[in-house]
Structure formats: structure tokens, C-alpha cells
């Protein structure tokens, strides 16, 4: 599984096989879950929000998960730091209680310029939370779910004899 805010393709052998997927939405994860009823292990390349959430999801349904991330946790990253409340039922299903982080409740959006502003009520509302805080929280949750997290860079993924081999910089 290659995760991120957009679908990732790296030119690795086997990346277009059934059950091998890029992942950046909950629907992608549900599709993967449906494709892999006999899956016992998953390797996730990328430990950002999508990768950590995928790891938590898959570990919750009994799949052993290894996440390979090239950066340290937690990390500061430019991000909107807004999450819609529509995701709360899914987070609850994952046993993630965001309220313990005391996020800021957001019910309005304001656009402003030097001399004008427009205020809009957000029908679903949402919450604001630091990306750094959320990364650390999801990292700790993934670890407590039994996910193995490796800090390394994936150099290649090889598919041979119906088996994937993940090559990393440090040969882990």
C-alpha cells in the first residue's frame, strides 16, 4: 500500500496487480479490505495521516501491519489543520477519541481581505488540530494496535514468485 494525499505510482514491478493499491481515501481502504479477505500481513509505504490511519484500520481487522516511513514522528507539516465532523463516526469505529486532544470546535468559515469579509456557517462543522499533535496521536495509536513502524526509505518493491520484497535504504 502506498499512501498519501494523491495516488502514488513508482514504477515498481507488481504495483498494478490486483490487491496492490495506492491509498488516499476511506473508500480505497474499504476496497482493499474487500479485495483481501485472506490477507494476513500488509506493508504500508508512507506513515503520514493516510498511512497511519490505514495501519490502524487494518490492524483492527486482524491484519499484521508494518509501516515504513522515511521521516521522524511526529513531524511539523504545513496543513489546513481542519477536519470535518463527517469523519467522526469512522474515527470512533477505529477507537480513536479525538476529544482527548481537546481540538478547537469550528462552526464557521471566514474569508477576508483588507476591506471585506464573508462569513459562512459550516453545516457539519469540524475541528482544528495541529498536524504535529495528530501525527503523534495516530502514531501512538498505531503502535498500541500492534503496528510495526520502521524509519527507512523504500527504494524498490519487487514482485517475484507471487511474493513481494520491499527494499529499503538500510536493508531492513
Amino acid at each position: 500500500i502506498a499512501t498519501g494525499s494523491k495516488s502514488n505510482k513508482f514504477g515498481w514491478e507488481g504495483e498494478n496487480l490486483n490487491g496492490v493499491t495506492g491509498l488516499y481515501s476511506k473508500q480505497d481502504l474499504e476496497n482493499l479490505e474487500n479485495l483481501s479477505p485472506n490477507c494476513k500481513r500488509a506493508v504500508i509505504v508512507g506513515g503520514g495521516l493516510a498511512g497511519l490511519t490505514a495501519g490502524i484500520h487494518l490492524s483492527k481487522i486482524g491484519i499484521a501491519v508494518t509501516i515504513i516511513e522515511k521521516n521522524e514522528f511526529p513531524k511539523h507539516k504545513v496543513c489546513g489543520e481542519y477536519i470535518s465532523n463527517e469523519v467522526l463516526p469512522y474515527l470512533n469505529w477505529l477507537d480513536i477519541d479525538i476529544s482527548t486532544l481537546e481540538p478547537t470546535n469550528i462552526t464557521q468559515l471566514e474569508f477576508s481581505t483588507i476591506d471585506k469579509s464573508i462569513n459562512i456557517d459550516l453545516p457539519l462543522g469540524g475541528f482544528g488540530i495541529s498536524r504535529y499533535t495528530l501525527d503523534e496521536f495516530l502514531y501512538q495509536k498505531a503502535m498500541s494496535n500492534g503496528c510495526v513502524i520502521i524509519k527507512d526509505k523504500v527504494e524498490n518493491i519487487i514482485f517475484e514468485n507471487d511474493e513481494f520484497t520491499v527494499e529499503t535504504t538500510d536493508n531492513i
Side-chain angles (χ1 to χ4, degrees):
I1 302 170
T3 63
S5 59
K6 61 183 172 34
S7 184
N8 293 311
K9 293 289 184 178
F10 301 99
W12 296 327
E13 186 178 344
E15 74 180 351
N16 293 315
L17 293 173
N18 192 28
V20 177
T21 185
L23 177 70
Y24 61 95
S25 74
K26 180 177 179 279
Q27 291 77 18
D28 291 338
L29 189 56
E30 289 167 347
N31 289 338
L32 179 64
E33 189 178 330
N34 292 333
L35 283 170
S36 307
N38 300 318
C39 180
K40 302 292 183 231
R41 287 184 59 213
V43 174
I44 297 173
V45 179
L49 299 178
L52 290 169
T53 302
I56 294 165
H57 183 118
L58 293 175
S59 63
K60 180 177 171 132
I61 63 170
I63 296 173
V65 175
T66 300
I67 299 170
I68 304 173
E69 170 57 43
K70 63 184 175 187
N71 298 310
E72 296 287 334
F73 285 100
K75 58 186 164 234
H76 289 287
K77 187 171 184 178
V78 175
C79 170
E81 300 187 349
Y82 170 84
I83 299 174
S84 173
N85 283 333
E86 70 185 316
V87 77
L88 289 175
Y90 179 61
L91 294 177
N92 290 334
W93 182 84
L94 292 174
D95 300 318
I96 294 174
D97 183 4
I98 288 292
S99 69
T100 63
L101 301 175
E102 300 178 357
T104 301
N105 186 38
I106 299 173
T107 59
Q108 288 190 326
L109 174 66
E110 180 177 346
F111 290 105
S112 62
T113 64
I114 293 172
D115 57 350
K116 292 183 184 179
S117 69
I118 300 170
N119 290 300
I120 301 167
D121 288 332
L122 299 171
L124 295 175
F127 56 93
I129 188 163
S130 128
R131 171 66 188 262
Y132 186 87
T133 300
L134 187 56
D135 267 358
E136 176 65 14
F137 186 71
L138 293 176
Y139 171 78
Q140 293 300 328
K141 176 65 176 169
M143 295 287 287
S144 72
N145 272 27
C147 295
V148 174
I149 300 178
I150 298 171
K151 185 190 174 299
D152 203 348
K153 182 179 178 192
V154 171
E155 297 292 340
N156 197 12
I157 298 178
I158 300 165
F159 183 71
E160 213 170 66
N161 301 322
D162 282 341
E163 186 173 286
F164 288 94
T165 302
V166 179
E167 296 178 346
T168 65
T169 302
D170 295 332
N171 294 316
I172 293 179

